[in-house]
Amino acid sequence: MTGQTISHYRILEKVGGGGMGVVYKAEDLKLGRTVAVKFLSEDLSQDGRALERFQREARSASALNHPNICTIHEVDEHEGRHFIVMELLEGEPLHHCIGGKPLQTELVLEVAVQIADALRAAHGKGIVHRDLKPPNIFLTGVKGQPLGPGIQLKLLDFGLAKFLPEPSDGSTPPDAATVDQLLSTPGTVFGTVPYMSPEQALGREVDHRTDLFSLGVVLYEMTTGRLPFSGATASETIVQIVRDPPETISSLVPEVPAELERIIRKCLEKDPERRYQTARELLVDVKNLKRDLEQSGQALIPSAARPASRVRRFAFPGLAAAALLTLLVAVYLVGWRKWLPWTAAPGRIESLAVLPLANLSGDPAQEYFADGMTDALIADLAQIRALRVISRTSVMQFKGTRKSLPEIAQQLRVDAVVEGSVLRSGQRVRIAAKLIRPAGETQLWASTYERDLGDILTLQNELARTIAGEIQVRVTVEEQGRLARARSVHPQAFDAYLKGWYFWSQFTEETFRKGIEQFEEAIRLDPGYAAAYAGLAEGWQALNYIGAAPYEEARPKALEAASKALQLDDQLAEAHAVISVIRAMEWDWPAAEKEFRRAIELNPGFVQAHLFATTQLRHLGRREESIAEAKRALELDPLALLSNGGLSDAYLSARQYDSTIQQCRRTLDLYPNHSESHYEMGWAYVYKQMYQEGIAEIEKSIQLDGDDPNLSPDLAYIYALQGKKGETLKILDRLLELSKQVPVSPGHMGLIYVSLGKKDEALTWLEKAYEQHSPMMPWLKVDPRFDPLREEPRFRELLRRVGLQ
């Protein structure tokens, strides 16, 4: 075709080709620019499936505007020839650069950053690539030159892309009406086998996490020079993908940083739930590692410093591919995850539970002290990003338990546990601790520490650092600094501080107020005690959360205490988290996000910060990120009511109603009388138009809360959906009459009018809710009940004033 003019493109030369078509360098005669024109092969032009894939590539890529995704200019047809016009890339594909040899760590990280960011953009638009591999990653400007820093990558070929029905950024997927009619049929396998995820290889439904697995394969190949899964046949490779762990990177390339190996291993988790949940989450970890290496000038704690073992691969040379795939699908349906160990590879500890330290004083009144020391050790260890540390709420459920260590570890899904005791005698404290691997209850380390009470903070830090060293987990320079910093503390102030948290953890108005008194006493005794100010801020925030202190009273007191804490120590995650909540209450969402991000950066294991994040992100409509934060909180605190409820909240706001119902049932298995779970499950049923089931769950919630169903705005709304407007009006009349005697939520009144189709009345009540700074306002963007109002100018103005537009 060289020399021909197709439409307004003059073909200059052929630059490439493949199974789907041929790519030419061409001149755009209208705009005077050089472009690439990709023609669908003539023999495929009449193939509906091939044409769909070709058009899919254009639809997917043209919906994306990102520096690391090849730009699509136009898609057209000329004399029966279908073609795509895209930016012309000079360089070569990534697989030419790998060439079977390991690449330098900084180059692996550069590729990881750019491709993870490209995936973040694609997934945000509801687009899953499904064929991520080195030939589809193009390095510009490197052809014939050594691969070095400053590379620019482009992600190509969205021909197998899948369009998710609900993009996380709220946009409409390209040509969403097709909903993958050709390429998303369950049981059909698409992609390139060595780079497939387990669910993809088995023909299961896939989501954005399949791309993260594929990226993990690419990063493994770049790091080691070889594929993690590579059988003699495609069938054998599928077996390995589904069942076998890859050889440890440290056994192949000992100098690779341990954190990079952890990141790649997390990408390659067989179970999608244990993988990175979003590209953004992966991007944060890679950027942090990149920064740490640049600051230190060396790879911290290389993988070679830890035990490694080679993994024997299994082969099935006698089985035909089709028969083996059928077998694998059948095995998957009965639970292939049973093949996968819940622990890490032998010798590696990546997750830890600190069991409640025993009180050896013989005085039950000293329980608060032992519990406080447990909390402090958990908090210190939770600052280490490479280590998953179970939060206090879950571990405290095993206080006094007769369960064996293997049972506890299985329930918490951890690789090791710390157990020990505390003895306080006068102004001296002695802590005995030991590190145990639950399998076989093998003791790995034990030691005893004794200090004056005034040096207790130093003791805590030393203990955490020692445990981190014993398990050989990677600790960054910044984390080492935080664990090393300690100050002396007034003994009685420390005692009051522990009592403050002891009362706070009981979660009632009375105990919150007692906790505030103890934090204030700690501050009186030691005015420079930053953590006590943070505790005081959390006390006031908690009172507001349960409705025991009005916003006008709680906000300034919490803000003053948290600000003072940060003046004394700007690395207190707890103080940043409280300020995040305050900014969210003020509807200053950017400031709120900045604070919870900082809290998580300082303490990756801080469950409350992840819960604050999931709440704020769901209000902003960032569904995927909200769910990821909720899952992280649940991973850190698997038995806690708040973390279980947080995930069902995130699912409900994301309109994933089946997932909401499943999670609510899990929560109710742990907490059978949790009214909020019945309430959320009820609304999930209602949104699925299963009204009777929904009403039954909401009535159960009302019963557990001791409320009057005849005054329920929720039931009023549902009755209207069922066409029972008479029942709705009865409840409305009762509430209007009640409002003459006591305050009634104007937001709930507004929702009833929405259900009746009376938009003006509904908006009038919502404006009253805004004037009262109602907690319903943050829900305006995501609550399905507001959908009938979304095109109303008054509603859009409300969204703007609340910072959600």
Side-chain angles (χ1 to χ4, degrees), residues 301 305-307 349 352 381 384 387 435 444-445 449 461-475 480 483:
I301 310 183
R306 300 172 301 166
I349 295 174
L352 189 70
L381 289 169
I384 303 172
L387 185 65
L435 179 68
L444 305 177
W445 162 85
Y449 300 79
N461 295 162
E462 183 181 342
L463 179 55
R465 291 198 308 274
T466 302
I467 292 172
E470 288 296 327
I471 63 178
Q472 298 182 330
V473 70
R474 179 181 180 275
V475 182
Q480 289 172 355
L483 287 174

Side-chain angles (χ1 to χ4, degrees), residues 39-110:
F39 288 91
L40 181 63
S41 299
E42 288 189 34
D43 57 342
L44 294 178
S45 295
Q46 305 305 314
D47 183 337
R49 194 181 192 83
L51 182 58
E52 163 66 16
R53 174 175 172 178
F54 194 74
Q55 293 172 338
R56 173 181 299 261
E57 177 179 4
R59 285 200 310 272
S60 302
S62 63
L64 302 170
N65 181 17
H66 190 276
N68 298 119
I69 296 176
C70 183
T71 302
I72 298 293
H73 299 310
E74 183 182 2
V75 58
D76 205 348
E77 178 185 356
H78 181 78
E79 297 180 354
R81 297 291 303 277
H82 297 271
F83 63 89
I84 301 170
V85 182
M86 62 188 77
E87 66 175 310
L88 180 67
L89 302 177
E90 300 287 350
E92 58 187 353
L94 178 61
H95 67 285
H96 287 178
C97 303
I98 298 174
K101 295 180 180 179
L103 299 181
Q104 294 179 358
T105 295
E106 53 266 41
L107 299 178
V108 175
L109 293 176
E110 188 61 41

Side-chain angles (χ1 to χ4, degrees), residues 385-404:
R385 182 175 297 277
L387 185 65
R388 179 172 69 91
V389 182
I390 301 300
S391 187
R392 78 171 308 276
T393 313
S394 291
V395 297
M396 282 299 174
Q397 297 190 30
F398 296 100
K399 186 172 183 176
T401 184
R402 294 185 178 180
K403 287 188 175 181
S404 67

